[in-house]
């Protein structure tokens, strides 16, 4: 990533420098030669004004002192050098100037300017000035060297800027790569940080959203496995014990044992349905659930749990409000919540367990009370994994999720003796 960004920046910088430097180098050459031609012509004109009208009669010429780089000479009509420096015989530019016109010429070695000197509309001589082209080329090459040095400095600055920008651009992508590797190693809490670069931040946000959804899916799968294991343990144990008791006890009514086993199997099926519904439920309004009269629900719960509490030498009482027995409740969900609360009372509570049904005007209240004392912080009571003994700490968390999935409310209403209350709203 870094090398690619640097290469792209360098290519762009080189192309820009070439497009700028080549025309500028050509312009420098043309400008330097044009300036030198002008200087040579001005030198020739300055010398021409020093030639007196008596030049043709042999009057000597005093030429002005000029640059050591230039040659200035005066030629008569016989094309001979009379004063100054230059070729002994006039060159082509000087001969053309005899026709009374200023001539500029460039030979292989010199830049030449020839200016005619006239007297009474008659050319009496020609002033020739010249500069070696190598002198001009030296100045051109020096300027080109300065231009090249500036281009190299600009290219170096472009490299530094490109490397810095490459680090800025690649750093969030490298961080995103490290985050992806951490997630691949199982750390689903890792999230990509925003960098301030819009396009990269969009990728990071999409990545975080994807990871969030994956984490939720994995959490649902894990919760489903844990919830199913937790909820199926008690009914499976009851089913197994009932069948073993029927086989081991002579004279047992096999039909009654099979009916009880069938009832336990139905309850297992309902348990699986509820746990699966909770695992696949999406956020939104509570899903419609099948209902049954509250009295029938209490009868089923008492039939399932009277025996287990009796085996522990504990009592279970059901105290219904007669006015509420016919009111509908979400059967399977409420069944599962009560199973969790009663199992929790059996494992962690003490004494008699009482299930109370109350009608509150617009809602039904189901209280599960035992004679024990809550030994865990109420703030952590419904957290998954929170437990006071050897349990998994799943039950109360699952009961709360089940209650919320149908719009009900589960809460601890008393610490000693311990009492949990499930509020079931009644539709009007």
């Amino acid at each position: 990533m870094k090398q690619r960004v640097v290469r792209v920046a360098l290519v762009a910088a080189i192309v820009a420098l070439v497009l700028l430097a080549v025309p500028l180098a050509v312009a420098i050459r043309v400008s330097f030669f044009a300036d030198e031609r002008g200087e040579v012509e001005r030198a020739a004109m300055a010398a021409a004004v020093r030639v007196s009208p008596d030049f043709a009669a042999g009057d000597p010429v005093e030429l002005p002192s000029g640059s050591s780089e230039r040659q200035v000479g005066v030629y008569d009509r016989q094309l001979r050098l009379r004063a100054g420096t230059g070729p002994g015989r006039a060159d082509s530019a000087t001969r053309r100037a005899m026709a009374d016109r200023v001539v500029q010429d460039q030979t292989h070695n010199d830049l030449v300017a020839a200016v005619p000197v006239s007297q009474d509309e008659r050319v009496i001589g020609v002033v020739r000035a010249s500069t070696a082209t190598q002198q001009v080329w030296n100045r051109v090459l020096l300027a080109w060297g300065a231009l090249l040095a500036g281009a190299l400095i600009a290219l170096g600055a472009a490299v530094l800027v490109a490397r810095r920008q490459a680090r800025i651009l690649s750093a969030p992508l490298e961080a995103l790569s490290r985050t992806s590797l951490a997630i691949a190693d199982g750390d689903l809490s890792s999230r990509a940080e925003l960098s301030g670069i819009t396009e990269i931040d969009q990728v990071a946000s999409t990545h975080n959203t994807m990871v969030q959804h994956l984490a939720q899916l994995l959490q649902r799968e894990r919760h489903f496995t844990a919830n199913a294991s937790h909820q199926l343990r008690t009914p499976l144990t009851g089913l197994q014990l009932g069948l073993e008791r029927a086989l081991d006890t002579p004279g047992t009514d096999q039909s009654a044992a099979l009916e009880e086993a069938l009832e336990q199997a139905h309850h297992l099926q309902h348990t699986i349905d509820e746990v699966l519904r909770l695992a696949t439920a999406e956020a939104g309004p509570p899903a419609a659930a099948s209902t049954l009269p509250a009295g029938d629900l209490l009868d089923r719960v008492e039939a399932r749990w009277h025996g287990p509490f009796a085996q522990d030498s504990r009592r279970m009482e059901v105290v219904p409000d007669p006015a509420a027995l016919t009111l509908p409740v979400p059967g399977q969900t409420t069944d599962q919540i009560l199973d969790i609360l009663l199992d929790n009372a059996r494992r962690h509570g003490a004494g008699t367990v009482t299930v109370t049904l109350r009608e509150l005007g617009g809602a039904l209240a189901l209280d599960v009370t035992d004679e024990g004392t809550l030994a865990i912080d109420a703030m952590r009571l419904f957290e998954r994994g929170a437990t006071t003994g050897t349990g998994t700490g799943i039950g109360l968390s699952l009961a709360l999720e089940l209650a919320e999935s149908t719009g009900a409310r589960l809460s601890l209403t008393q610490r000693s003796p311990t009492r949990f209350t499930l509020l079931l709203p009644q539709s009007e």
Side-chain angles (χ1 to χ4, degrees), residues 82-390:
R82 290 278 300 276
T85 56
R89 298 290 296 177
D91 57 9
S92 61
T94 305
R95 288 194 296 270
R96 293 198 303 273
M98 286 295 179
D100 197 17
R101 61 191 180 92
V102 177
V103 177
Q104 285 189 341
D105 194 10
Q106 181 175 347
T107 66
H108 181 68
N109 296 319
D110 297 305
L111 292 176
V112 179
V115 178
V117 180
S118 301
Q119 176 66 34
D120 297 331
E121 299 183 357
R122 177 175 175 270
V123 177
I124 61 175
V126 174
V127 176
R128 176 187 181 276
S130 66
T131 296
T133 55
Q134 186 59 48
Q135 298 293 335
V136 183
W137 273 113
N138 289 342
R139 293 197 295 273
V140 170
L141 292 177
L142 183 63
W144 282 0
L147 178 63
L148 178 61
L152 292 177
I153 292 173
L155 188 61
V159 171
L160 295 178
V161 173
R163 294 183 65 179
R164 182 175 182 274
Q165 289 300 113
R167 287 195 298 270
I168 293 174
L169 291 174
S170 62
L173 294 178
E174 291 173 354
L176 180 59
S177 176
R178 291 192 297 270
T179 301
S180 299
L181 288 176
I183 292 170
D185 291 337
D187 183 10
L188 295 180
S189 63
S190 296
R191 294 292 183 271
E193 296 182 357
L194 300 182
S195 62
I197 302 174
T198 303
E199 292 78 5
I200 298 179
D201 287 350
Q202 185 177 2
V203 174
S205 298
T206 304
H207 178 273
N208 290 342
T209 301
M210 176 192 69
V211 174
Q212 181 67 26
H213 290 168
L214 288 176
Q216 290 175 352
L217 289 175
L218 289 175
Q219 186 180 41
R220 284 183 182 178
E221 290 184 3
R222 291 170 181 169
H223 284 185
F224 171 74
T225 303
N227 293 344
S229 175
H230 182 275
Q231 288 300 93
L232 295 178
R233 181 182 63 246
T234 299
L236 276 176
T237 301
L239 176 60
Q240 181 180 1
L241 291 176
L243 292 175
E244 289 177 352
R245 185 170 57 251
L247 291 175
D248 295 340
T249 304
T252 301
D253 185 356
Q254 298 296 324
S255 296
L258 290 175
E259 289 179 0
E260 182 180 355
L262 183 61
E263 179 64 25
Q264 291 283 0
H266 286 161
H267 186 62
L268 280 173
Q269 181 63 49
H270 295 330
T271 299
I272 294 173
D273 291 342
E274 276 301 294
V275 174
L276 184 61
R277 182 190 65 80
L278 183 63
T280 57
E282 297 182 354
S290 60
T291 61
L292 78 162
D296 294 348
L297 174 70
L298 292 180
D299 291 340
R300 288 174 15 179
V301 170
E302 185 176 16
R304 283 198 309 274
W305 286 96
H306 180 78
F309 279 108
Q311 290 176 3
D312 296 342
S313 300
R314 295 173 62 185
R315 293 175 56 196
M316 176 186 174
E317 296 181 354
V318 176
V319 182
D321 182 352
L325 291 176
T326 58
L327 295 177
V329 294
Q332 296 182 14
T333 304
T334 308
D335 225 7
Q336 295 300 315
I337 296 172
L338 289 177
D339 279 352
I340 294 172
L341 295 178
L342 290 170
D343 183 66
N344 191 66
R346 183 185 178 194
R347 292 175 179 275
H348 305 290
T352 301
V353 176
T354 305
V355 179
T356 305
L357 174 65
R358 296 178 290 139
E359 200 278 325
L360 298 179
L364 282 180
L366 280 167
D367 300 319
V368 177
T369 308
D370 65 71
E371 298 177 358
T373 299
L374 185 66
I376 187 173
D377 184 4
M379 298 296 293
R380 299 183 56 245
L381 186 61
F382 291 100
E383 292 181 5
R384 182 170 288 263
T387 181
T388 58
T390 58

Side-chain angles (χ1 to χ4, degrees), residues 333-334 336-342 344 364-368 378 381-382 394-413 419-425:
T333 304
T334 308
Q336 295 300 315
I337 296 172
L338 289 177
D339 279 352
I340 294 172
L341 295 178
L342 290 170
N344 191 66
L364 282 180
L366 280 167
D367 300 319
V368 177
L381 186 61
F382 291 100
I394 294 175
L396 290 178
S397 173
L398 174 58
L400 183 63
E401 293 176 12
L402 286 168
E404 291 176 348
S405 70
T406 56
R409 179 180 177 184
L410 177 64
S411 60
L412 174 72
T413 53
R419 181 172 67 204
F420 289 91
T421 299
L422 175 65
L423 288 177
L424 298 167

